[in-house]
Amino acid sequence: MHGEDMRETGSDADAALRRAFAASLGPGAPPRMFFAPGRVNLMGAHLDYNGGPVMPTAIDRGTWIAVRERPDARVSLASTHDAARFEASWRDLPEQRASRWHDYPVGVLREILLHARARGVRLLGLDILFGGNLPIGAGLSSSASICVGTAFALDRVLRLGLEPLERVEAALRAERAFVGVQCGIMDPFAVGFARERSLLWLDCKDRTTEHVPLDLERYSIVLADSLVRRELAQGAFNERVQQCASAFEALQDHQRDAVCLRDVRLETLRAHEHGLEPVIGRRARHVIEEVARTLEARSALLRGDVRAFGGAMTRAHASLRDHFEVSVPELDQLVESAVATEGVCGARLTGAGFGGCVVVLLEKEAEAPLRDRLVREFSARFGRAPHVESFRGDPGPRELPTPR
Ligand code: GLA
């Protein structure tokens, strides 16, 4: 349901969605407009479902949601990117997913319905139109953006008074229980809780959060999209989740205090690796070392050492390539070109992998040379150019003012 490139700017997307709303629903009161960002993860790859720490931030690309009341008790959902529409009354929301884009917001509607009933809130009929500028399958969490955005918009429009954590949990349950993706907690937390000019530190074991400042006057976050999209990505992701569960099952007997793979120490793995299937050993090694790298990266950032933080990102990429085996040649090429550029602090694949984007942390002045080098070296090898964009941070889900 989102655009396939990231070039449309925020205000263009906002205005385009208002026009599309008027065109598809006719004249009437202007809709209320909401926005929820996407996210990029800089450290802590594949740690969320292992109870480890992650360090994402929200980006200034995401989902726009236009909402207007209608006189009956029905809800209609439409998208500017997909002709499939959804309409039902609040009382007859489906029990089963339809394998269409609207499964995500419908999953959230079901959660919102429970909250509204528990609070005795009257359900209004609503026309809702979605638009956005996050590429799907690029590792920027378009699904958490739409789910958290829907929870935010409905909470406001229906005046439910939900806490931010309740909205994030509604989004998470919608994806897990209704859409059926066994995703970790990072994405909705990042969309819901990240702030500008900082990375979110989220400990996925106890769900504590903290904001670690990142000087985005001096440094930039650039995303290079390989445009590789793997149909198999979902299956391969679930396979990694399974392999990590097998690793923990085998190792917990050797370290009784461990409650998740994040807790297993490197000495425990070293002492018992010979008893694991080699592939399971490699997965465990990535997770255990990535936990240590993410802790080091956090300390580096807290003392203002952005270069050391970047070094951890680049080492994370090597581990994702060699131990976790979720990279592809296109992503390796982008990382290689990036880290060879003067002024680049670090680079790695972001999101689940198997395609999508590489995130680069660099000094601002290095942006133009980086872009040139990425495009030149990638095109020479693959015969086409990647999309290279620099991103600003984002303050998180919000209602947008109605233009006069
Ligand atoms: C996907 C999942 C996240 C996380 C990342 C890997 O994006 O949705 O929960 O597991 O992969 O870090």
Side-chain angles (χ1 to χ4, degrees):
M1 61 139 288
H2 286 64
E4 267 310 305
D5 76 54
M6 302 178 276
R7 284 168 291 198
E8 193 175 36
T9 66
S11 55
D12 289 349
D14 179 350
L17 193 64
R18 287 180 199 276
R19 281 196 302 277
F21 193 92
S24 69
L25 293 158
R32 287 174 72 176
M33 290 284 292
F34 300 87
F35 174 76
R39 67 97 188 92
V40 57
N41 189 32
L42 278 79
M43 278 306 295
H46 289 272
L47 293 193
D48 58 351
Y49 55 85
N50 288 302
V54 295
M55 297 188 78
T57 193
I59 54 175
D60 61 339
R61 306 287 196 284
T63 308
W64 279 262
I65 305 177
V67 187
R68 186 164 74 193
E69 280 179 43
R70 51 187 272 171
D72 52 14
R74 296 178 73 75
V75 184
S76 99
L77 307 176
S79 159
T80 55
H81 294 296
D82 192 313
R85 282 173 168 254
F86 169 88
E87 189 175 320
S89 76
W90 278 103
R91 271 179 291 119
D92 300 322
L93 292 177
E95 304 278 322
Q96 300 283 325
R97 65 170 184 260
S99 300
R100 309 303 289 259
W101 73 271
H102 44 69
D103 288 340
Y104 294 90
V106 170
V108 177
L109 287 174
R110 289 166 48 91
E111 298 296 324
I112 291 292
L113 177 63
L114 299 177
H115 280 294
R117 284 191 173 144
R119 287 167 165 78
V121 166
R122 188 170 75 93
L123 291 158
L124 303 167
L126 299 170
D127 284 317
I128 310 181
L129 181 65
F130 294 87
N133 59 2
L134 279 171
I136 301 171
L140 303 178
S141 208
S142 56
S143 57
S145 174
I146 187 171
C147 288
V148 175
T150 305
F152 185 92
L154 290 169
D155 175 37
R156 285 295 165 89
V157 170
L158 300 174
R159 294 203 193 87
L160 292 171
L162 299 182
E163 295 295 332
L165 185 60
E166 291 178 300
R167 296 194 294 259
V168 162
E169 283 180 337
L172 189 58
R173 273 195 303 273
E175 271 205 72
R176 284 184 176 166
F178 190 71
V179 183
V181 184
Q182 285 318 306
C183 53
I185 70 169
M186 171 171 73
D187 300 347
F189 271 75
V191 171
F193 294 119
R195 290 201 194 132
E196 278 176 301
R197 290 182 285 280
S198 59
L199 299 184
L200 178 73
W201 167 269
L202 166 64
D203 186 318
C204 298
K205 189 172 163 191
D206 61 13
R207 297 186 167 199
T208 49
T209 57
E210 181 189 310
H211 295 96
V212 185
L214 172 62
D215 180 359
L216 288 172
E217 300 295 314
R218 190 160 160 216
Y219 298 94
S220 299
I221 294 174
V222 164
L223 280 160
D225 189 346
S226 66
L227 303 176
V228 175
R229 303 286 185 264
R230 286 284 147 91
E231 292 293 322
L232 282 175
Q234 195 57 54
F237 176 80
N238 288 341
E239 183 186 56
R240 295 302 182 283
V241 176
Q242 277 308 318
Q243 289 168 333
C244 289
S246 306
F248 178 62
E249 204 179 307
L251 292 167
Q252 66 178 336
D253 289 342
H254 305 295
Q255 196 190 306
R256 302 306 304 187
D257 62 345
V259 301
C260 51
L261 191 53
R262 171 255 181 90
D263 295 332
V264 174
R265 288 184 290 276
L266 195 53
E267 306 91 82
T268 311
L269 174 64
R270 283 204 186 110
H272 301 284
E273 206 166 0
H274 61 274
L276 301 177
E277 255 182 73
V279 63
I280 301 297
R282 289 198 298 281
R283 304 301 185 250
R285 180 165 290 271
H286 166 75
V287 169
I288 294 166
E289 291 181 350
E290 179 77 349
V291 170
R293 266 191 301 272
T294 305
L295 289 163
E296 280 165 31
R298 171 175 177 271
S299 309
L301 206 53
L302 284 170
R303 56 171 199 273
D305 190 347
V306 179
R307 286 230 147 244
F309 182 93
M313 288 171 66
T314 308
R315 292 200 303 282
H317 184 79
S319 174
L320 288 164
R321 183 190 61 211
D322 301 337
H323 300 317
F324 219 63
E325 296 170 288
V326 291
S327 191
V328 292
E330 288 85 347
L331 296 174
D332 296 339
Q333 176 66 55
L334 289 167
V335 169
E336 199 182 299
S337 300
V339 298
T341 308
E342 176 95 27
V344 166
C345 304
R348 43 158 287 188
L349 71 83
T350 189
F354 315 105
C357 293
V358 157
V359 57
V360 186
L361 185 61
L362 70 162
E363 288 164 13
K364 263 219 154 74
E365 306 77 69
E367 268 185 36
L370 171 72
R371 186 183 304 265
D372 291 349
R373 184 169 196 151
L374 290 178
V375 170
R376 192 176 63 245
E377 295 183 354
F378 190 96
S379 306
R381 181 163 168 201
F382 299 106
R384 58 187 178 79
H387 280 168
V388 184
E389 292 283 323
S390 76
F391 283 76
R392 284 199 304 277
D394 190 85
R398 59 193 174 276
E399 182 161 7
L400 302 171
T402 306
R404 287 161 192 278

